[in-house]
Amino acid sequence: MKPETQNDKSLARENADARIDHAAERARQGASDAVNWTRDKVDTAADRAEEGLRRAVDAGAHGAHRVADKAGEWRERGAELASGARDRAGQALENLRARVREKPMESVAFALAAGWLAGRLLKSRN
């Protein structure tokens, strides 16, 4: 066997350096690929989460609008009922006034009887 020369050692070292550089480049590329894959997965998950949150907020806003619309309808209906009750009470008062004008003695007697009855009922509770 022939002894290794300086040239052979240099060539062996260059081959080893090239293999190390190649392995390091593959490792860098693998790490870069892994980071890019992870970044894509995180971005996809973030996009899905953002879309889900957007849908939830939109649904909440839609529900709030529906509740506000219903509250407005109920408020309007309540105002209509209150107005109708005021009108009926005013009409009943006008009817009562007309009745008192037509029959004042009967009205006084009815008022006295109602007062006496109310007094008896309240007295019996005490």
Side-chain angles (χ1 to χ4, degrees):
M1 215 154 117
K2 148 176 153 184
E4 269 190 68
T5 64
Q6 187 66 20
N7 221 5
D8 291 337
K9 288 181 185 179
S10 291
L11 188 59
R13 176 173 273 177
E14 287 176 17
N15 285 340
D17 287 346
R19 284 194 311 261
I20 290 171
D21 288 344
H22 181 68
E25 180 57 34
R26 283 189 6 217
R28 277 193 294 274
Q29 187 60 45
S32 179
D33 291 346
V35 166
N36 289 336
W37 180 85
T38 302
R39 183 179 298 130
D40 289 344
K41 294 299 180 187
V42 168
D43 287 346
T44 300
D47 290 345
R48 285 181 183 164
E50 180 182 14
E51 183 61 30
L53 288 172
R54 187 176 296 126
R55 280 191 212 133
V57 167
D58 290 347
H62 178 70
H65 285 296
R66 287 184 59 191
V67 167
D69 291 344
K70 283 294 180 190
E73 289 173 17
W74 293 341
R75 184 177 48 249
E76 289 172 10
R77 180 70 178 136
E80 289 171 5
L81 291 173
S83 177
R86 277 192 301 272
D87 291 345
R88 285 189 301 279
Q91 186 63 40
L93 185 59
E94 285 302 315
N95 291 341
L96 181 63
R97 285 183 183 151
R99 178 80 173 179
V100 168
R101 282 188 206 109
E102 288 175 14
K103 299 183 180 185
M105 292 305 283
E106 189 179 291
S107 299
V108 170
F110 181 75
L112 284 173
W116 177 81
L117 182 61
R120 295 290 289 178
L121 288 173
L122 291 175
K123 187 176 183 181
S124 67
R125 286 189 179 192
N126 292 332

